């Protein structure tokens, strides 16, 4: 999401949504000049059994979690603002 310069993308999970990602990385704000957001609310569950999640890899990324939402990472990681010049925020 937000894979190339100029891109803007949002992944919104709401209302007890269950989202399973089982392969590869997930990027929110992957490239410089790109913006990506993950928004979770109302008990949404995001299970990532793949490689991990980058929030602001080289671009601008945000992760917002509200209302008892959760991310399950097994056994991988969550990166915020990974590369120089990137911005990653989590609320």
């Amino acid at each position: 999401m937000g894979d190339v310069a100029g891109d803007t993308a949002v992944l919104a999970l709401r209302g007890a949504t269950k989202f399973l990602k089982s392969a590869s990385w997930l990027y929110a704000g992957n490239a410089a000049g790109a913006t990506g957001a993950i928004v979770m609310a109302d008990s949404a569950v995001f299970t990532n059994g793949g490689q991990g999640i980058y929030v602001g890899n080289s671009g601008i990324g945000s992760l917002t979690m509200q209302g008892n939402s959760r991310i399950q990472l097994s056994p991988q990681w969550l990166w915020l603002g990974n590369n120089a010049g990137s911005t990653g925020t989590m609320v």
Side-chain angles (χ1 to χ4, degrees):
M1 304 174 325
D3 198 41
V4 297
D7 276 359
T8 299
V10 176
L11 171 63
L13 305 172
R14 294 189 169 96
T17 301
K18 293 183 179 179
F19 181 77
L20 171 64
K21 183 167 182 351
S22 61
S24 75
W25 304 97
L26 175 67
Y27 296 96
N30 185 35
T35 302
I38 302 168
V39 179
M40 301 176 63
D42 305 322
S43 300
V45 177
F46 180 178
T47 301
N48 189 46
Q51 301 292 325
I53 302 171
Y54 285 95
V55 178
N57 184 40
S58 293
I60 299 169
S62 65
L63 170 61
T64 303
M65 300 176 68
Q66 303 168 334
N68 201 35
S69 296
R70 69 183 189 273
I71 293 179
Q72 299 170 319
L73 297 170
S74 177
Q76 305 304 330
W77 305 274
L78 172 68
W79 286 270
L80 297 172
N82 186 51
N83 291 313
S86 66
T87 301
T89 59
M90 181 175 175
V91 178

